[in-house]
Every structure is written in C-alpha cells, then in structure tokens.
C-alpha cells in the first residue's frame, strides 16, 4: 500500500505542474490587464503604463513570468495581490475555511440522502418509489446550480422569510446558529446537484450486487435482510460509488464558485471570480494551487479507500 501511495503521489506531481502551466497561460492570454485597474487615473500616460508594466514584470515573456512565479511558489511565497495589495497566502487562507465547510457539508448531505435512496430503489426496482426518486435526482442534477439557488432564495427568503438570502453571518454577530442558518441554502444547492450522480451509481451498483451468488447464499442461510443489504451488498457496491465521489471533487469546487456568487458566501469561489475580473494573476494562481492540491490529494485518498473496501485491490498493490 505504501509503494502504491508513493507512486500515486509521484504521478500527481507532473499533473499539478501541468495544471498551473495551463491556468497561467490562459490567464495571461485573456483580454484585459491588471494595469487597467492599477492605472485608473485618466491622466495616466503610456509612459506611466510602460513604467508600471516593467516594475511588475508584465513585459517579460510568459515563460519568464511563469518560472518566476513558480520559483516563488516553491519557496512558499504566492505573491501579493494586485487588487488588494495583500499577501495571496493570507487571502486564500481566509477564504479556504468557508469553502471547505460548504463543500464538506453539502457532500455529506448528498451522501446521506442519495445512498439510502439508491439502495431502496435497487431493492424495489421499477416501483413507484424508484421512478419518483430517480426522476427527482435527474431534475436536480440537470438544473443549473444558479437557477436552483435563485428558486430557493425566492421561496425560503423572499416568500417565507425563514432563511437569510446570503452572506455567512448576520450583521454584528458570528454565532454558530447564525452560521448554520446561512449555510443551509448554499449547502442544499450543492447537495441537490450531487444527489443525482450518487443515487444513480448506488442504484446501479446495488442492482448488480443483488444478482450475485453470495447474496443468494446469504439469504439462503437465513440472515436478516438488513444484514444482507448493508453488510454483504452495500460494501461490495461502494467501490463504483467511491469512484463517482472522486470524479465529483473538481465539480464540487466548480459548483461552489457559482453557489458562493449567488449567496455571497465568502469562499474561494467568490475570491476567484473577483480575481479574474481584476486580472489579479497572483491571486488566480494561488487559488489554483490550493484547488489543484485538494483535488489531487482527494484522488489519492480515494485510491487508498479502494484498498480497504476490496481486499483483492489491496493485495495487488
């Protein structure tokens, strides 16, 4: 297992650098420049622009700019934001906690809802329950997160007035109760989007497992149906479900970008949009580093979980 984890980490290293190269090139080639924000004075001349561009190193070739950023990043320096003039590491750390809270809570909610629904749908396939749960999951997965968010805001905030429209805390307070109230709607939006994928995969995997000989043997021994489903069925059906969860990690951060914008949640997604609009290259790259590392570590963790779920996989490693 240790050799396998090391191998996966070694594979993740070039992947990480490939991600940073692509994002850096795309950011630099995008229309606009941070100079437009920094030189807001209408009296500024082209000479002023050229001097500032040289001071910031933006007149160097993209390759030189990238390796300069890379060298600083490897020394633990993510640079200074063009927009706020604050260290990027400080800005990222302040926004990382809210984003992790939102994505983790929404994922847990999605799993707690989708896995039981998938098991029940597979246990009674083609029943009314199966059609209803599958239909609702398809609707949730196919509806854009921003549209779902606007509907929830309209119903629960505008019409019913029981939940806040956005933000992370009520004005003047930072209590746990206030945080939980503000977390409900954005977490629900991300959970609704992810329930469909998890439910469909759980249902399909459980249907295959229910046809296996060891399930019929367990039932023939007189084991309780609950034990047959959970102990013998679910564990063998979890590997494809875990695979789906691993592929969802990038989409979780992508969905968080939209949800954070809709609900004004002060996370990495919100910061990313602000940084892109301002062409704040150091902030964009700092956020990219954090998300890339999170996704790569998540994939390695999923591979380790495979070994615990399936002894055959563990022996091969």
């Amino acid at each position: 297992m240790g050799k396998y984890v090391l191998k996966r980490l070694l594979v993740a290293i070039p992947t990480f650098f490939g991600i940073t190269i692509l994002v850096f090139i795309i950011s630099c080639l995008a229309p606009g420049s941070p100079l437009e924000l920094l030189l807001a004075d209408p009296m500024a001349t082209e000479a002023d622009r050229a001097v500032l561009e040289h001071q910031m190193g933006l007149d160097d070739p993209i390759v030189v700019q990238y390796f300069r950023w890379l060298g600083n990043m490897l020394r633990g320096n993510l640079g200074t934001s063009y927009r706020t003039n604050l260290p990027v590491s400080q800005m990222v750390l302040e926004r990382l906690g809210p984003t992790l809270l939102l994505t983790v809570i929404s994922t847990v909610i999605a799993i707690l809802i989708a896995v039981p629904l998938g098991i029940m749908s597979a246990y009674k396939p083609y029943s009314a329950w199966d059609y209803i749960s599958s239909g609702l999951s398809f609707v949730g997965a196919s509806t854009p997160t921003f549209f779902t968010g606007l509907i929830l805001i309209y119903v629960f905030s505008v019409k019913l007035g029981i939940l806040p429209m956005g933000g992370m805390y009520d004005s003047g307070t930072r209590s746990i109760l206030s945080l939980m109230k503000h977390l409900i709607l954005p977490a629900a939006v991300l959970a609704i989007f992810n329930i469909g994928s998890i439910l469909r995969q759980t249902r399909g995997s459980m249907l295959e497992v229910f046809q296996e000989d060891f399930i019929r043997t367990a039932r023939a021994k007189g084991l309780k149906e609950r034990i047959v489903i959970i102990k013998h069925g679910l564990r063998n059906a979890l590997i494809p479900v875990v695979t789906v969860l691993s592929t969802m990690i990038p989409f979780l951060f992508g969905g968080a970008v939209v949800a954070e914008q809709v609900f004004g949640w002060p996370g990495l997604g919100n910061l990313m949009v602000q940084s892109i609009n301002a062409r704040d290259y150091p902030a964009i790259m700092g956020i990219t580093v954090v998300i890339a590392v999170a996704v790569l570590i998540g994939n390695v963790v999923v591979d380790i979980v495979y070994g615990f779920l399936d002894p055959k996989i563990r022996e091969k490693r």
Side-chain angles (χ1 to χ4, degrees):
M1 180 66 76
K3 292 182 179 179
Y4 179 80
V5 173
L6 180 60
K7 180 180 177 181
R8 292 292 298 172
L9 289 174
L10 292 176
V11 171
I13 292 175
T15 303
F16 169 79
F17 287 118
I19 293 172
T20 60
I21 291 172
L22 286 176
V23 173
F24 193 91
I25 292 175
I26 293 173
S27 299
C28 292
L29 295 180
S33 169
L35 297 176
E36 297 173 2
L37 175 68
L38 299 174
L39 285 177
D41 186 358
M43 301 300 293
T45 63
E46 286 297 324
D48 297 329
R49 179 186 178 92
V51 170
L52 183 59
E53 186 177 28
H54 179 72
Q55 290 175 349
M56 298 173 64
L58 296 177
D59 57 345
D60 292 328
I62 293 179
V63 175
V64 175
Q65 294 183 48
Y66 173 77
F67 279 104
R68 181 168 57 234
W69 171 85
L70 180 62
N72 292 329
M73 188 272 294
L74 294 177
R75 290 193 293 269
N77 179 17
L78 294 178
T80 302
S81 169
Y82 297 155
R83 182 173 59 89
T84 64
N85 205 31
L86 294 174
V88 172
S89 56
Q90 176 185 334
M91 296 170 58
V92 169
L93 288 176
E94 290 175 352
R95 302 296 189 101
L96 181 60
T99 293
L100 288 178
L101 177 64
L102 177 60
T103 54
V104 170
I105 293 297
S106 63
T107 303
V108 171
I109 293 173
I111 293 173
L112 292 179
I113 294 176
V115 171
L117 290 180
I119 294 173
M120 295 176 68
S121 296
Y123 186 66
K124 295 183 178 181
Y126 310 111
S127 63
W129 172 262
D130 184 22
Y131 287 124
I132 292 173
S133 60
S134 298
L136 292 177
S137 69
F138 275 113
V139 171
S142 59
T143 305
T145 52
F146 76 89
F147 184 72
T148 306
L150 293 176
I151 291 177
L152 294 183
I153 289 175
Y154 179 75
V155 173
F156 293 99
S157 300
V158 177
K159 287 297 184 181
L160 300 179
I162 58 177
L163 292 174
M165 298 180 64
M168 191 172 177
Y169 293 99
D170 291 326
S171 179
T173 179
R174 296 182 67 86
S175 64
I176 297 297
L177 179 60
S178 175
L179 172 62
M180 296 306 296
K181 286 172 58 180
H182 286 77
L183 181 62
I184 291 175
L185 290 184
V189 168
L190 290 181
I192 290 171
F193 183 76
N194 294 321
I195 283 174
S197 300
I198 302 175
L199 191 154
R200 292 196 302 272
Q201 188 60 61
T202 303
R203 179 185 182 277
S205 299
M206 291 297 292
L207 281 175
E208 293 182 4
V209 170
F210 282 153
Q211 305 302 318
E212 297 292 338
D213 292 337
F214 65 85
I215 294 293
R216 287 191 286 267
T217 302
R219 286 171 172 163
K221 289 181 178 180
L223 295 178
K224 295 181 179 180
E225 194 67 13
R226 176 174 56 84
I227 297 178
V228 173
I229 294 175
I230 302 300
K231 184 177 180 180
H232 296 277
L234 182 59
R235 180 172 181 177
N236 289 276
L238 275 181
I239 292 180
V241 177
V242 171
T243 303
V244 169
L245 290 174
S246 68
T247 61
M248 283 170 49
I249 295 176
F251 295 101
L252 277 173
F253 285 99
V257 172
V258 178
E260 289 176 8
Q261 281 295 105
V262 172
F263 292 97
W265 188 262
L268 284 178
N270 203 322
L271 179 62
M272 174 65 90
V273 173
Q274 295 174 2
S275 301
I276 291 175
N277 289 335
R279 301 298 184 269
D280 191 352
Y281 303 146
I284 294 173
M285 294 306 300
I287 299 170
T288 299
V289 167
V290 173
I291 294 178
V293 170
V295 171
L296 293 175
I297 291 178
N299 288 332
V300 172
V301 171
V302 167
D303 288 330
I304 296 174
V305 172
Y306 284 159
F308 290 101
L309 292 176
D310 192 344
K312 294 180 180 178
I313 297 178
R314 185 166 61 245
E315 291 173 1
K316 290 179 181 180
R317 295 173 181 178

